[in-house]
Amino acid sequence: MKSFEAVQLYFNRAADQLELTDNMRTLLLTAKREVQVQIAIERDNGDLETLIGFRVQHDNSRGPMKGGLRFHPEVDLDEVRSLASLMTWKTAVVNIPYGGAKGGIAVDVRSLSNRELERITRKFVDEIHDIIGPDHDIPAPDMGTNAEVMSWIMNQHNKYHGFNPGVVTGKPVEHYGISGREEATGRGVGILAVKIIGRLGHKLPTTRVAIQGFGNVGSHAAQFLHDADCKVVAISDISGGYFRADGLDIPGAFRYANEHGRCLEGYTEAEKITNEQLLELDVELLIPAALGGVITAENAAKIKAPLIIEAANAPVRPDADDLLAERGVVIVPDILANAGGVTVSYFEWVQNRQYYSWNLDRVRQELERVMSQAFEEVWELSRERNVTLRTAAFMQGISRVGRATVLAGIT
Ligand code: NAD
């Protein structure tokens, strides 16, 4: 199943509950604008390279469109379209005044020098500067892009439209960024984990956690849950999995990864396992925080965790989602689980517009408030309507976007 089909499937389940007409479904699913541009650059060795860039602007009924920029060889229009639509529902679930967008370039950043990466980024902005902007569409980092790339975007956009740091978020803290943006998504995952563990009647010290992916999201979620007294027994990254039955030393692993190119390769304070084994561990909580599509119809039966929090985008395939739901496995869906990042991006944008900055405590406090409220609303709706948390989250997002669309006047 292609990425956008999966989003459509979840959308339609929620739309059935909301009794939306076919015409309204088509309106809400269709992107406002899809742009494909040519990005021609000169490589450091003088070769000409022509790349394709995409920006999909899905919906702006609740505010300017918001979404990351992914530089990855597998980027295509279908993937960008599905991620743009997910951003619309995500920003609506956490009730921040944004719509949804996503962009990407099909390129392997590992094959580029920093200068080449900068040239590609600036050329992309040359092609799309007219359709992005602080009141229209605000990019942010995603796979393959980082804070430095965001600074280049701001600088290039400002050459056309004048100084305005709010055109992009996820910028370096010392260049109009915000404290706490880096940890935000992982911290949001941790906040939700603590809430739902309590709601399901479990205790934090007896909750064993396995986390796939020890990058930005996974490592901060691990740190938060370690500090909250949970037992993080397994972590992993591209180099494989690391397991310790009595709980890993997460601050130690964090330090190790930072000192070794953000990778756990060679970490010896744990038993080595594979990424597949990690997913199938006997734990109370499983957090996929690396890639999409890792829990499939093939491995769903082997998943022992009764609770999964989708920190990555779309880590559970729809067919696996059904199999797990039948077994009573509770899944906190990506559009709620990883919304902490876009929430703190919103705070960054607010501050850029006010030329003011909050301290880290305030950012954390506001993040906790937004995530907690969204969780309570989705939890209540799922109980009330007897639907999964995923369907409830989609219902919440779709009804907010639908209401705004109708209030603005459709034609
Ligand atoms: P990252 O690049 O910082 O980390 C990714 C991690 O996954 C790394 O530890 C990497 O080694 C690991 N990994 C890569 N390939 C793997 C494999 N085959 N098996 C196991 N591990 C593998 O990325 P991130 O920012 O932490 O994002 C992780 C996921 O969360 C992505 O799906 C991303 O779209 C999603 N997400 C991120 C944010 C954010 O704010 N960073 C927000 C929302 C969603």
Side-chain angles (χ1 to χ4, degrees):
M1 183 181 285
K2 296 189 94 175
S3 305
F4 192 61
E5 274 176 66
V7 178
Q8 266 176 306
L9 190 144
Y10 294 142
F11 174 96
N12 277 319
R13 274 184 195 164
D16 290 345
Q17 289 287 329
L18 296 166
E19 298 180 3
L20 284 194
T21 62
D22 286 348
N23 292 344
M24 195 64 185
R25 292 177 197 219
T26 307
L27 175 71
L28 293 181
L29 273 173
T30 311
K32 293 260 173 205
R33 184 191 263 151
E34 298 186 345
V35 174
Q36 176 179 320
V37 296
Q38 178 200 64
I39 301 161
I41 63 137
E42 191 181 304
R43 298 290 299 253
D44 289 345
N45 63 6
D47 283 355
L48 173 68
E49 175 101 32
T50 305
L51 303 166
I52 303 293
F54 305 96
R55 187 77 188 165
V56 173
Q57 298 179 325
H58 176 251
D59 189 273
N60 63 354
S61 57
R62 300 182 61 262
M65 294 168 281
K66 185 89 190 85
L69 210 52
R70 179 173 287 195
F71 290 1
H72 189 273
E74 278 160 32
V75 163
D76 63 17
L77 185 56
D78 180 76
E79 184 188 64
V80 178
R81 186 183 282 147
S82 79
L83 293 168
S85 137
L86 279 181
M87 286 305 295
T88 298
W89 318 126
K90 190 181 295 185
T91 50
V93 169
V94 287
N95 209 7
I96 54 177
Y98 280 148
K102 201 80 178 189
I105 300 177
V107 65
D108 184 355
V109 283
R110 290 170 306 179
S111 71
L112 302 171
S113 70
N114 218 39
R115 296 286 306 144
E116 289 170 336
L117 181 63
E118 179 174 352
R119 279 203 287 281
I120 288 169
T121 305
R122 289 186 186 275
K123 202 65 189 284
F124 189 43
V125 177
D126 288 341
E127 299 300 326
I128 64 164
H129 71 88
D130 267 338
I131 60 162
I132 62 170
D135 293 318
H136 304 293
D137 176 3
I138 306 136
D142 195 86
M143 277 157 68
T145 56
N146 56 25
E148 191 179 16
V149 172
M150 299 305 116
S151 276
W152 296 329
I153 293 176
M154 173 188 151
N155 179 265
Q156 194 68 7
H157 185 269
N158 289 180
K159 285 180 189 166
Y160 290 98
H161 301 278
F163 173 74
N164 201 327
V167 61
V168 67
T169 61
K171 301 178 291 292
V173 178
E174 60 276 33
H175 196 226
Y176 306 97
I178 187 171
S179 308
R181 172 60 187 90
E182 200 195 301
E183 67 175 27
T185 307
R187 194 173 178 86
V189 169
I191 291 168
L192 292 181
V194 168
K195 286 205 153 284
I196 197 160
I197 288 166
R199 205 54 62 90
L200 296 173
H202 301 307
K203 296 269 174 283
L204 295 173
T206 51
T207 299
R208 293 165 299 167
V209 187
I211 304 180
Q212 184 185 56
F214 202 65
N216 178 316
V217 179
S219 63
H220 286 288
Q223 185 69 54
F224 186 93
L225 290 171
H226 176 83
D227 293 345
D229 229 9
C230 290
K231 207 182 274 185
V232 181
V233 296
I235 52 176
S236 75
D237 65 11
I238 190 93
S239 69
Y242 303 84
F243 172 75
R244 201 169 160 147
D246 59 351
L248 291 157
D249 166 22
I250 295 298
F254 207 96
R255 270 195 308 279
Y256 184 90
N258 275 339
E259 286 161 11
H260 295 82
R262 301 210 152 215
C263 188
L264 291 163
E265 177 84 69
Y267 183 65
T268 52
E269 305 298 309
E271 183 188 326
K272 193 85 197 282
I273 57 172
T274 65
N275 263 294
E276 291 69 37
Q277 287 172 319
L278 178 140
L279 294 174
E280 296 163 12
L281 283 174
D282 178 19
V283 289
E284 281 69 41
L285 169 59
L286 173 63
I287 304 182
L291 310 169
V294 291
I295 301 179
T296 64
E298 284 73 52
N299 66 3
K302 297 187 206 142
I303 304 284
K304 298 185 192 70
L307 172 62
I308 298 174
I309 302 189
E310 289 188 322
N313 282 318
V316 179
R317 293 226 180 109
D319 43 6
D321 196 58
D322 292 341
L323 294 170
L324 293 166
E326 277 166 25
R327 281 176 37 210
V329 175
V330 175
I331 301 179
V332 181
D334 47 9
I335 57 170
L336 171 62
N338 64 32
V342 72
T343 301
V344 174
S345 270
Y346 164 61
F347 301 155
E348 179 179 335
W349 177 81
V350 168
Q351 291 179 54
N352 287 158
R353 312 204 72 163
Q354 297 176 335
Y355 301 104
Y356 186 73
S357 62
W358 302 345
N359 62 25
L360 182 59
D361 282 348
R362 170 114 189 252
V363 172
R364 287 178 168 178
Q365 212 178 321
E366 294 280 334
L367 174 65
E368 167 115 33
R369 181 184 62 75
V370 171
M371 296 302 292
S372 300
Q373 184 168 337
F375 172 77
E376 294 302 338
E377 288 170 350
V378 170
W379 179 267
E380 280 310 311
L381 191 57
S382 99
R383 300 295 104 162
E384 214 176 274
R385 300 292 291 262
N386 194 24
V387 293
T388 62
L389 291 172
R390 188 185 311 280
T391 298
F394 268 86
M395 286 170 71
Q396 181 71 281
I398 294 167
S399 49
R400 284 193 173 129
V401 175
R403 227 153 32 231
T405 305
V406 171
L407 285 171
I410 294 172
T411 51

